[in-house]
Amino acid sequence: MSSIIWKSCAAAGTGIFLETKYGPSLSSAGPSGMLSLYSVTPLILIGTGFWSLAYGMVVGKARTKAIEDAKADGEKDVEERYGLPNLYAQGTSKHALTYNAVQRSHQHIFETFGTVVLTAMVGAFSFPISTALSTLTYAVGRVAFSNAYAKSEGDASKRYSSSKLSKYMWYGIMGNIFLGACSCLYVMFLDRAAKSYLSSNFSYEGMKNRASSSMMESRNKYFPSK
């Protein structure tokens, strides 16, 4: 896990450097006060949210199938063990483990999605391109992880071994956390720099000095000393 954290932070840091050096400036923000690229990140999040909603139907179908298969194999108390309001099926039979893997693949989404959304929205404010890429990485890894987990038939190790893309969910999460934190610090730095600039250039003394300097320039231009 530590390797994923360092690699994620390094990738996000590189993205921040390239974006601040070559990407659009915050001064080019539109009427809303945000860069138009900001909308890419929430669009990815909306798509991921819709997918998670649709994925819940997969769990419902898996529950129905597990109940039917368990009854066909002669398991006892099937409705009480598999049916609602049970979140997970009770027992360690083949059908229970298979269904529980599908349920777990869905529940796992909500353990990290809140963090992803918060950090993505904050990170995109200052670094819309880097955050969009990081969020997309999370979304791809998230879908791969859930699909692999659902097909594992109760063998949790298959959630990574059966899909090479599953681990990228964690790269996206850690990247978003890093980008969100950096965005907060970046905004704080800009706010402090802006206040310093305004206080030095628009204070009474600052305006007085500029007015005096302007008057001296005009006098020297139109009334040069002999």
Side-chain angles (χ1 to χ4, degrees), residues 91-110:
T92 57
S93 68
K94 176 182 67 175
H95 303 302
L97 292 176
T98 298
Y99 165 72
N100 286 343
V102 178
Q103 178 65 273
R104 177 59 183 157
S105 72
H106 183 245
Q107 287 297 306
H108 190 270
I109 298 170
F110 308 108

Side-chain angles (χ1 to χ4, degrees), residues 195-226:
K195 287 180 178 179
S196 177
Y197 175 82
L198 291 174
S199 63
S200 62
N201 288 277
F202 293 94
S203 63
Y204 174 75
E205 289 297 328
M207 290 187 288
K208 180 180 177 181
N209 292 335
R210 287 199 305 277
S212 176
S213 176
S214 179
M215 291 175 64
M216 289 295 293
E217 290 177 1
S218 298
R219 188 186 70 176
N220 292 335
K221 180 178 179 180
Y222 295 107
F223 304 100
S225 57
K226 297 181 180 180

